[in-house]
Amino acid sequence: MRSPDSYWLDTGPTWTGSSGALPRRTGVCVLGAGVMGSTLAYWLATAGLRPLVLERNSAPAMGSSGRNAGRLIQGGNAQHALAIEKFGHAEALAIYRATLTNRDLVREVAAREGLEATRFPTAKLDLAVTEDEALELKRTAEALTADGIEAEWLDLPAAREAFGTGLPDTVLGGLYRPDQDAVHSVAYVRGMAAAAARHGADFACGVTVTSVEAAPGGGWLVTTDAGRVLAEQVVVALNAWTPRLLPELAPVITPVRGQLVQTAPVPFRIPQWGLDRGLLYGGQAPDGSLLIGGLRNTVPGRDEGIDLPQDDNTPAFSPDLAQRLADALPSLLPEATGVPVARAWSGVMAFTPDRCPLVGAWPGAAGLWVMAAFNGHGMPYSQVMPEQLAERIRGGRGDGIPSAFDPARFL
Ligand SMILES: Cc1cc2nc3c(=O)[nH]c(=O)nc-3n(C[C@H](O)[C@H](O)[C@H](O)COP(=O)(O)OP(=O)(O)OC[C@H]3O[C@@H](n4cnc5c(N)ncnc54)[C@H](O)[C@@H]3O)c2cc1C
């Protein structure tokens, strides 16, 4: 069974910004109009370039970007205390700070481009149900505080207060971080794409790219089902589909299915939350409905390394997983008992072995760039990585991209 459309796709604005025939030549060609490709086009266009974006779907945001939970969670994939152990303090802090810069950019750009209605403020509460996890989260609260970042370990009564509704006694407490954002994913990404187009970017939707090769006279030959384009520079922003064009990344990028369940609207507001090291997570849509996702890997081999659909972005949908997610909600949120499920959907994420994305130059190939594999966690980087990569493409330093994200580490 293929996944139904997401709430965001059903309630987001329609896209009318695509141009007609492909040009024969372009300066920068961006492959993929998810949040990464669309936002990169925005930063390139606001710098005076005229990027061409190629997208196989009829509109931007029909891939993972239009099927996610819309949460812009600050920090990298690992909790800060664990990231410090993994990458060293300087690099872990660079990763965390990138997501804080991202938060500020999201707000700035949303205000500048009339996208305020697509963004809504929230907080994040990571809940611990085991002593080990509680310790990890307490250490993270301390490490963040030491780095001047607002975070606090809350014991159960305080966590209940922050959650605003009755958490069960099995919760030991939680790491609370205020000042977070969530977005209506499709409205936000299409808003970015429309802003990019207003500033001079061209979007060609309904065009599937089949190969990228070095052109004999310099530059890159992009072959599509609608013709060929010679580009001076190419950015591959194809999420889990990236290895189709860059097969060297096949051993590095694992396609992973993510699934979400959405309830009917509820009359209370809760912050974004994570439980069991993010294995179960949730948030709330602007209409008050609850989102719950995760439980990946509870059936070995079901969600990791899935076969990617050739023609679109909707992986197989598991009614069994949807049921289990729906069943999990009342055990955390007793107030949600009896609230009907409104819909459920799935999408494709791209994971790397070290859980860091690939952002930067393709080694030894001038003018070829990659920005992909955000490990189920792309939104917290969705302005800052495109902005920094745009700077590199224009010959600048772009040194806000953490070195842990350099694609060369795998190549
Ligand atoms: C269920 C679920 C929940 C999630 N929740 C969150 C969350 O709350 N917070 C968060 O930060 N992240 C979340 N994520 C992950 C987040 O959605 C991704 O990290 C992010 O959207 C990646 O953006 P992207 O632009 O790289 O990929 P995509 O949005 O997938 O964009 C890639 C684009 O490339 C296009 N494409 C592919 N092949 C070709 C081709 N050959 N030619 C032309 N175009 C092509 C696709 O159609 C697609 O539009 C979630 C993901 C899922 C599935």
Side-chain angles (χ1 to χ4, degrees):
M1 174 185 179
R2 281 287 174 89
S3 171
D5 272 351
S6 68
Y7 164 78
W8 317 114
L9 283 164
D10 277 356
T11 57
T14 49
W15 169 253
T16 52
S18 298
S19 60
L22 288 189
R24 293 164 65 94
R25 288 170 176 271
T26 189
V28 184
C29 188
V30 179
L31 312 187
V35 69
M36 296 302 163
S38 302
T39 311
L40 177 65
Y42 173 79
W43 286 102
L44 291 169
T46 50
L49 277 67
R50 268 202 83 141
L52 170 69
V53 184
L54 303 179
E55 165 57 51
R56 71 175 170 197
N57 278 292
S58 56
M62 292 180 75
S64 187
S65 301
R67 303 183 151 269
N68 59 29
R71 309 179 318 158
L72 282 82
I73 297 162
Q74 291 152 24
N77 270 57
Q79 291 289 2
H80 194 49
L82 301 180
I84 290 172
E85 281 163 19
K86 188 169 168 186
F87 301 111
H89 182 251
E91 191 65 4
L93 190 54
I95 293 172
Y96 207 102
R97 285 209 174 124
T99 67
L100 295 178
T101 305
N102 191 77
R103 172 196 62 193
D104 297 342
L105 282 175
V106 166
R107 293 174 185 180
E108 230 176 88
V109 172
R112 190 162 66 224
E113 301 297 344
L115 298 176
E116 276 299 5
T118 70
R119 183 185 75 81
F120 48 105
T122 178
K124 177 84 198 296
L125 186 60
D126 291 307
L127 299 164
V129 281
T130 64
E131 290 292 349
D132 276 2
E133 195 181 6
L135 191 62
E136 249 169 61
L137 296 179
K138 283 179 193 168
R139 284 174 47 224
T140 290
E142 281 164 20
L144 287 170
T145 307
D147 282 331
I149 297 162
E150 211 179 341
E152 197 183 351
W153 165 261
L154 302 180
D155 58 14
L156 180 55
R160 279 186 173 136
E161 206 174 307
F163 206 52
T165 178
L167 289 168
D169 290 341
T170 44
V171 172
L172 303 175
L175 169 69
Y176 182 74
R177 289 173 290 167
D179 205 16
Q180 315 265 329
D181 292 287
V183 290
H184 182 301
S185 310
V186 169
Y188 174 73
V189 176
R190 290 192 183 157
M192 284 309 304
R198 276 197 304 278
H199 288 282
D202 283 324
F203 282 74
C205 293
V207 172
T208 299
V209 180
T210 51
S211 69
V212 178
E213 302 157 276
W220 297 90
L221 200 55
V222 179
T223 304
T224 80
D225 59 357
R228 284 177 155 191
V229 182
L230 180 62
E232 286 162 26
Q233 307 198 59
V234 171
V235 186
V236 185
L238 298 180
N239 187 15
W241 295 272
T242 298
R244 294 243 175 96
L245 299 189
L246 301 173
E248 293 89 335
L249 289 177
V252 175
I253 294 183
T254 303
V256 176
R257 179 178 56 181
Q259 210 164 285
L260 282 170
V261 162
Q262 183 183 27
T263 68
V266 297
F268 53 86
R269 298 282 328 167
I270 55 167
Q272 301 174 4
W273 55 272
L275 184 77
D276 208 2
R277 297 189 173 91
L279 193 60
L280 198 63
Y281 64 87
Q284 207 163 9
D287 68 352
S289 56
L290 301 169
L291 298 165
I292 177 167
L295 295 182
R296 274 188 293 108
N297 303 339
T298 45
V299 176
R302 182 192 54 194
D303 304 311
E304 297 233 354
I306 51 163
D307 286 335
L308 281 182
Q310 290 292 329
D311 53 340
D312 67 12
N313 303 298
T314 56
F317 174 81
S318 162
D320 164 60
L321 177 56
Q323 189 58 52
R324 288 210 270 153
L325 285 167
D327 291 347
L329 192 57
S331 60
L332 179 74
L333 247 172
E335 281 87 340
T337 309
V339 175
V341 165
R343 67 172 87 205
W345 65 87
S346 63
V348 182
M349 305 180 283
F351 278 44
T352 57
D354 59 9
R355 297 293 187 263
C356 284
L358 305 163
V359 185
W362 189 262
L368 183 61
W369 308 87
V370 60
M371 180 168 53
F374 282 83
N375 290 275
H377 200 74
M379 302 307 275
Y381 301 113
S382 57
Q383 286 288 343
V384 68
M385 289 304 123
E387 186 236 7
Q388 289 293 302
L389 190 62
E391 193 178 311
R392 285 196 189 176
I393 290 168
R394 287 162 37 234
R397 294 170 58 86
D399 47 18
I401 302 175
S403 51
F405 295 2
D406 189 346
R409 71 191 188 279
F410 290 120
L411 296 166

